[in-house]
Amino acid sequence: MISTTKVSSLWEVLRVSTKLGLTSFGGPIAHLGYFHDEYIRRRQWMDERSYADLVALCQFLPGPASSQVGIGIGIVRAGLLGGFVAWLGFTLPSAIALVLFALLLQGFDIANAGYIHGLKIVAVGIVAHAILGMGQKLTPDRDRMTIAVAAATVTLLWPAAYTQVLIIVAAGLLGLWLYKKNPGTGNQNIQIAIGKPFAIGCLVLFFGLLIVLPFLRQTVNIEWFALFDSFYRSGSLVFGGGHVVLPLLEREVVPTGWISQEDFLAGYGATQAVPGPLFTFAAYLGLMAGGIGGAAVATAAIFLPAFLLVVGALPFWNGLRSNAKVQGALAGINAAVVGILLAALYDPLWTTAILTPADFALALLLFTMLAFWKFPPWVVVLTGALGGIMIGYI
């Protein structure tokens, strides 16, 4: 039986992650800002450096990085079930919203609504606030600040799918060289309630499904099996966040006749209008291909690789982080993460949200509400949405 304390922790994780799932607009980089504010700054479920290390780990892994970070925090807080309910709370609101979009709201021009523009500006404020907090702790000297600036520059000038992975590798090697004698302060030892044999099993299952599913698809003439294979493979091969999955999914669902090109693009536009992970686009596509059951299969399939990889990697995390050489590498990697966030603050967030002086004024107000007035995130989100509507009438 699950103890009362365990149930309480699970309920806490579900409640907080659901709130984030309802309010986290702006894409994966913005989500990391929301997570930092809620999980780290407000609730202190993990120390600052451990959070940055977890972000760096998830940047290495294929799949939706922000969802993987949320799963990792849930596991740290409440074990394996904690990781599941953290994913469920963060994912379910947008998945339900996109199913409703597919059923009821096709034909409405929701992607260009004023409140959507306001929510994009909210994301600018959230990410700027996260960069300020993380930068103060993770780039305290000239060398790490230089790494952060270089990472931001390379990310902006070379926006390829694997750029972030290459930057993190390069920053890790540079940090290993710069901090080999002084790797920095030690990290808290994070308790991971998952055994290494189970973790290895998850990694084996991840690669096994990736290899076996396409072959079984040729012999099993069941549509939901083909759907599962397509979305599992798409979720397994994406580096760089939710936007990168777009061409992969298009190749899987449009040529097969599951959805038309026009409906595919309409659904992707609707995905920008809802909070939570961009991977919940799979719920819309699954519904169009196979009804409510198809939406459930597609959503589970596209997120399953992320879950298997996080569970497989976390039990080995403390051992790596406590190693002096790894700490030196992580000093460089953490600085690079700040730079990657800084680049994302400009593109795509700033370039798509700050279009007029009124937009900049609203972003400045929202940042002040977060950083100095200490308003709760839901107030900032509501203010941004209302501000976006008002800007539309200016």
Side-chain angles (χ1 to χ4, degrees):
M1 293 181 63
I2 302 177
S3 67
T4 303
T5 303
K6 186 73 170 180
V7 171
S8 177
S9 297
L10 289 172
W11 172 248
E12 180 188 28
V13 171
L14 180 61
R15 179 171 53 83
V16 177
S17 62
T18 301
K19 183 179 80 170
L20 288 167
L22 290 167
T23 58
S24 296
F25 291 87
I29 300 298
H31 298 161
L32 297 178
Y34 284 97
F35 287 177
H36 179 270
D37 186 72
E38 186 68 35
Y39 289 137
I40 311 306
R41 190 186 299 272
R42 290 166 57 85
R43 300 182 181 275
Q44 299 179 349
W45 285 1
M46 184 182 288
D47 68 281
E48 193 87 37
R49 189 173 297 274
S50 295
Y51 177 71
D53 291 349
L54 179 59
V55 171
L57 171 66
C58 293
Q59 294 286 353
F60 271 118
L61 303 175
S66 61
S67 293
Q68 289 169 315
V69 170
I71 291 168
I73 293 173
I75 290 173
V76 169
R77 184 65 179 174
L80 189 61
L81 282 177
F84 175 76
V85 298
W87 168 80
L88 187 67
F90 185 59
T91 304
L92 199 58
S94 58
I96 292 174
L98 287 170
V99 166
L100 293 176
F101 274 125
L103 292 173
L104 303 173
L105 300 181
Q106 289 183 351
F108 287 84
D109 187 17
I110 56 169
N112 297 316
Y115 77 92
I116 297 300
H117 183 63
L119 294 173
K120 291 179 181 178
I121 299 175
V122 170
V124 172
I126 290 286
V127 173
H129 188 221
I131 292 171
L132 179 64
M134 295 179 69
Q136 289 172 343
K137 294 182 179 296
L138 302 177
T139 57
D141 53 53
R142 184 184 65 180
D143 290 335
R144 278 178 277 188
M145 179 59 73
T146 301
I147 292 173
V149 172
T153 302
V154 173
T155 301
L156 290 170
L157 296 179
W158 187 24
Y162 288 89
T163 297
Q164 291 185 9
V165 176
L166 295 176
I167 288 172
I168 288 174
V169 171
L173 293 174
L174 189 57
L176 181 63
W177 177 67
L178 289 172
Y179 300 102
K180 55 187 175 183
K181 293 184 179 179
N182 181 24
T185 58
N187 298 304
Q188 294 183 10
N189 190 42
I190 304 300
Q191 298 298 317
I192 306 295
I194 298 173
K196 290 183 179 179
F198 183 80
I200 293 173
C202 287
L203 294 176
V204 171
L205 181 59
F206 166 79
F207 288 107
L209 288 174
L210 189 60
I211 295 170
V212 171
L213 282 175
F215 292 101
L216 291 180
R217 178 177 182 170
Q218 304 302 319
T219 60
V220 178
N221 189 23
I222 302 176
E223 184 169 297
W224 71 261
F225 194 93
L227 200 67
F228 189 93
D229 169 57
S230 291
F231 282 86
Y232 182 87
R233 194 154 18 88
S234 297
S236 300
L237 300 177
V238 170
F239 286 89
H243 292 289
V244 184
V245 81
L246 179 66
L248 289 176
L249 287 176
E250 186 176 18
R251 286 196 296 268
E252 293 290 339
V253 300
V254 174
T256 57
W258 283 335
I259 186 172
S260 68
Q261 181 75 34
E262 293 74 19
D263 286 341
F264 180 89
L265 293 175
Y268 187 69
T271 304
Q272 311 307 308
V274 298
L278 293 174
F279 269 45
T280 52
F281 184 31
Y284 171 91
L285 296 175
L287 182 105
M288 299 295 285
I292 296 296
V297 169
T299 304
I302 202 168
F303 281 102
L304 180 58
F307 200 88
L308 292 175
L309 287 170
V310 171
V311 173
L314 277 180
F316 302 98
W317 188 31
N318 278 325
L320 292 173
R321 296 168 68 236
S322 61
N323 182 281
K325 292 182 179 180
V326 173
Q327 283 193 36
L330 286 173
I333 290 172
N334 290 338
V337 169
V338 174
I340 291 169
L341 283 171
L342 184 61
L345 176 62
Y346 175 73
D347 185 14
L349 295 179
W350 189 282
T351 56
T352 58
I354 310 302
L355 307 177
T356 67
D359 295 337
F360 178 76
L362 179 58
L364 190 61
L365 171 64
L366 298 175
F367 176 78
T368 302
M369 291 173 67
L370 274 172
F372 304 109
W373 297 345
K374 309 299 181 184
F375 277 79
W378 68 268
V379 174
V380 178
V381 170
L382 181 59
T383 303
L386 293 175
I389 294 173
M390 292 176 64
I391 287 173
Y393 289 102
I394 295 177

PDB file of all heavy atoms in Angstrom, residues 7 9 31 43 62 71 119 122 140 147 183 277 280 285 308 331:
ATOM      1  N   VAL A   7       1.065   9.566  -0.766  1.00  0.00           N
ATOM      2  CA  VAL A   7      -0.115  10.082  -1.467  1.00  0.00           C
ATOM      3  C   VAL A   7      -0.132  11.604  -1.429  1.00  0.00           C
ATOM      4  O   VAL A   7      -0.436  12.275  -2.423  1.00  0.00           O
ATOM      5  CB  VAL A   7      -1.400   9.502  -0.850  1.00  0.00           C
ATOM      6  CG1 VAL A   7      -2.634  10.207  -1.422  1.00  0.00           C
ATOM      7  CG2 VAL A   7      -1.489   8.005  -1.092  1.00  0.00           C
ATOM      8  N   SER A   9       2.454  13.610  -1.209  1.00  0.00           N
ATOM      9  CA  SER A   9       3.491  14.122  -2.116  1.00  0.00           C
ATOM     10  C   SER A   9       3.031  14.026  -3.568  1.00  0.00           C
ATOM     11  O   SER A   9       3.249  14.947  -4.364  1.00  0.00           O
ATOM     12  CB  SER A   9       4.792  13.350  -1.924  1.00  0.00           C
ATOM     13  OG  SER A   9       5.309  13.534  -0.627  1.00  0.00           O
ATOM     14  N   HIS A  31       8.907  27.321 -20.801  1.00  0.00           N
ATOM     15  CA  HIS A  31       8.510  26.369 -19.763  1.00  0.00           C
ATOM     16  C   HIS A  31       9.609  26.220 -18.710  1.00  0.00           C
ATOM     17  O   HIS A  31       9.325  26.108 -17.512  1.00  0.00           O
ATOM     18  CB  HIS A  31       8.222  24.993 -20.383  1.00  0.00           C
ATOM     19  CG  HIS A  31       7.099  25.011 -21.362  1.00  0.00           C
ATOM     20  ND1 HIS A  31       6.920  24.012 -22.297  1.00  0.00           N
ATOM     21  CD2 HIS A  31       6.102  25.900 -21.571  1.00  0.00           C
ATOM     22  CE1 HIS A  31       5.851  24.291 -23.025  1.00  0.00           C
ATOM     23  NE2 HIS A  31       5.350  25.424 -22.608  1.00  0.00           N
ATOM     24  N   ARG A  43       9.290  26.844  -4.404  1.00  0.00           N
ATOM     25  CA  ARG A  43       9.090  25.649  -3.588  1.00  0.00           C
ATOM     26  C   ARG A  43      10.386  24.968  -3.162  1.00  0.00           C
ATOM     27  O   ARG A  43      10.360  24.114  -2.276  1.00  0.00           O
ATOM     28  CB  ARG A  43       8.194  24.649  -4.339  1.00  0.00           C
ATOM     29  CG  ARG A  43       6.827  25.234  -4.653  1.00  0.00           C
ATOM     30  CD  ARG A  43       5.901  24.261  -5.351  1.00  0.00           C
ATOM     31  NE  ARG A  43       4.643  24.908  -5.637  1.00  0.00           N
ATOM     32  CZ  ARG A  43       3.622  24.999  -4.772  1.00  0.00           C
ATOM     33  NH1 ARG A  43       3.728  24.441  -3.582  1.00  0.00           N
ATOM     34  NH2 ARG A  43       2.511  25.636  -5.108  1.00  0.00           N
ATOM     35  N   PRO A  62      17.147  13.043 -26.623  1.00  0.00           N
ATOM     36  CA  PRO A  62      16.110  13.382 -27.601  1.00  0.00           C
ATOM     37  C   PRO A  62      14.753  13.490 -26.916  1.00  0.00           C
ATOM     38  O   PRO A  62      14.528  12.909 -25.854  1.00  0.00           O
ATOM     39  CB  PRO A  62      16.153  12.199 -28.574  1.00  0.00           C
ATOM     40  CG  PRO A  62      16.711  11.067 -27.786  1.00  0.00           C
ATOM     41  CD  PRO A  62      17.676  11.685 -26.806  1.00  0.00           C
ATOM     42  N   ILE A  71       9.397  15.795 -15.631  1.00  0.00           N
ATOM     43  CA  ILE A  71       9.368  14.395 -15.184  1.00  0.00           C
ATOM     44  C   ILE A  71      10.481  14.154 -14.165  1.00  0.00           C
ATOM     45  O   ILE A  71      10.267  13.521 -13.120  1.00  0.00           O
ATOM     46  CB  ILE A  71       9.516  13.448 -16.381  1.00  0.00           C
ATOM     47  CG1 ILE A  71       8.271  13.497 -17.268  1.00  0.00           C
ATOM     48  CG2 ILE A  71       9.759  12.008 -15.914  1.00  0.00           C
ATOM     49  CD1 ILE A  71       8.434  12.812 -18.609  1.00  0.00           C
ATOM     50  N   LEU A 119       0.139  36.561 -24.392  1.00  0.00           N
ATOM     51  CA  LEU A 119       0.780  35.433 -23.728  1.00  0.00           C
ATOM     52  C   LEU A 119       2.200  35.208 -24.245  1.00  0.00           C
ATOM     53  O   LEU A 119       3.069  34.730 -23.518  1.00  0.00           O
ATOM     54  CB  LEU A 119      -0.074  34.179 -23.895  1.00  0.00           C
ATOM     55  CG  LEU A 119      -1.429  34.244 -23.179  1.00  0.00           C
ATOM     56  CD1 LEU A 119      -2.279  33.043 -23.539  1.00  0.00           C
ATOM     57  CD2 LEU A 119      -1.242  34.327 -21.668  1.00  0.00           C
ATOM     58  N   VAL A 122       4.169  37.504 -22.234  1.00  0.00           N
ATOM     59  CA  VAL A 122       4.384  36.912 -20.907  1.00  0.00           C
ATOM     60  C   VAL A 122       5.608  36.001 -20.927  1.00  0.00           C
ATOM     61  O   VAL A 122       6.436  36.022 -20.008  1.00  0.00           O
ATOM     62  CB  VAL A 122       3.138  36.112 -20.466  1.00  0.00           C
ATOM     63  CG1 VAL A 122       3.450  35.299 -19.208  1.00  0.00           C
ATOM     64  CG2 VAL A 122       1.969  37.038 -20.202  1.00  0.00           C
ATOM     65  N   PRO A 140      29.196  33.309 -12.498  1.00  0.00           N
ATOM     66  CA  PRO A 140      29.698  34.300 -11.532  1.00  0.00           C
ATOM     67  C   PRO A 140      31.074  34.871 -11.873  1.00  0.00           C
ATOM     68  O   PRO A 140      31.524  35.803 -11.200  1.00  0.00           O
ATOM     69  CB  PRO A 140      29.760  33.493 -10.231  1.00  0.00           C
ATOM     70  CG  PRO A 140      30.068  32.100 -10.683  1.00  0.00           C
ATOM     71  CD  PRO A 140      29.344  31.937 -11.997  1.00  0.00           C
ATOM     72  N   ILE A 147      31.588  31.931 -21.730  1.00  0.00           N
ATOM     73  CA  ILE A 147      30.974  30.725 -22.291  1.00  0.00           C
ATOM     74  C   ILE A 147      29.503  30.975 -22.606  1.00  0.00           C
ATOM     75  O   ILE A 147      28.994  30.584 -23.671  1.00  0.00           O
ATOM     76  CB  ILE A 147      31.131  29.534 -21.324  1.00  0.00           C
ATOM     77  CG1 ILE A 147      32.603  29.127 -21.211  1.00  0.00           C
ATOM     78  CG2 ILE A 147      30.279  28.349 -21.777  1.00  0.00           C
ATOM     79  CD1 ILE A 147      32.862  28.068 -20.148  1.00  0.00           C
ATOM     80  N   PRO A 183      36.763  22.758  -9.413  1.00  0.00           N
ATOM     81  CA  PRO A 183      35.494  22.496 -10.087  1.00  0.00           C
ATOM     82  C   PRO A 183      34.306  23.259  -9.533  1.00  0.00           C
ATOM     83  O   PRO A 183      33.205  23.129 -10.035  1.00  0.00           O
ATOM     84  CB  PRO A 183      35.306  20.988  -9.884  1.00  0.00           C
ATOM     85  CG  PRO A 183      36.039  20.689  -8.620  1.00  0.00           C
ATOM     86  CD  PRO A 183      37.224  21.618  -8.612  1.00  0.00           C
ATOM     87  N   PRO A 277       3.259  21.529 -23.243  1.00  0.00           N
ATOM     88  CA  PRO A 277       4.261  21.108 -24.235  1.00  0.00           C
ATOM     89  C   PRO A 277       3.715  21.087 -25.651  1.00  0.00           C
ATOM     90  O   PRO A 277       2.558  20.722 -25.891  1.00  0.00           O
ATOM     91  CB  PRO A 277       4.635  19.694 -23.765  1.00  0.00           C
ATOM     92  CG  PRO A 277       3.449  19.212 -23.000  1.00  0.00           C
ATOM     93  CD  PRO A 277       2.878  20.425 -22.330  1.00  0.00           C
ATOM     94  N   THR A 280       2.016  17.968 -27.453  1.00  0.00           N
ATOM     95  CA  THR A 280       0.602  17.590 -27.391  1.00  0.00           C
ATOM     96  C   THR A 280      -0.109  17.847 -28.717  1.00  0.00           C
ATOM     97  O   THR A 280      -1.292  17.507 -28.860  1.00  0.00           O
ATOM     98  CB  THR A 280      -0.127  18.343 -26.262  1.00  0.00           C
ATOM     99  OG1 THR A 280       0.117  19.744 -26.390  1.00  0.00           O
ATOM    100  CG2 THR A 280       0.326  17.852 -24.909  1.00  0.00           C
ATOM    101  N   LEU A 285      -3.510  15.455 -33.827  1.00  0.00           N
ATOM    102  CA  LEU A 285      -3.295  14.591 -34.990  1.00  0.00           C
ATOM    103  C   LEU A 285      -3.907  13.212 -34.777  1.00  0.00           C
ATOM    104  O   LEU A 285      -4.501  12.631 -35.686  1.00  0.00           O
ATOM    105  CB  LEU A 285      -1.798  14.460 -35.261  1.00  0.00           C
ATOM    106  CG  LEU A 285      -1.065  15.756 -35.644  1.00  0.00           C
ATOM    107  CD1 LEU A 285       0.429  15.489 -35.758  1.00  0.00           C
ATOM    108  CD2 LEU A 285      -1.610  16.332 -36.937  1.00  0.00           C
ATOM    109  N   LEU A 308      11.041   7.082 -20.757  1.00  0.00           N
ATOM    110  CA  LEU A 308      12.005   5.983 -20.642  1.00  0.00           C
ATOM    111  C   LEU A 308      13.438   6.507 -20.512  1.00  0.00           C
ATOM    112  O   LEU A 308      14.242   5.983 -19.730  1.00  0.00           O
ATOM    113  CB  LEU A 308      11.895   5.063 -21.857  1.00  0.00           C
ATOM    114  CG  LEU A 308      10.607   4.247 -21.985  1.00  0.00           C
ATOM    115  CD1 LEU A 308      10.586   3.484 -23.304  1.00  0.00           C
ATOM    116  CD2 LEU A 308      10.451   3.278 -20.810  1.00  0.00           C
ATOM    117  N   ALA A 331      30.265  22.892 -14.805  1.00  0.00           N
ATOM    118  CA  ALA A 331      30.411  24.339 -14.646  1.00  0.00           C
ATOM    119  C   ALA A 331      30.332  25.025 -16.008  1.00  0.00           C
ATOM    120  O   ALA A 331      29.696  26.069 -16.162  1.00  0.00           O
ATOM    121  CB  ALA A 331      31.729  24.671 -13.949  1.00  0.00           C
TER     122      ALA A 331
END
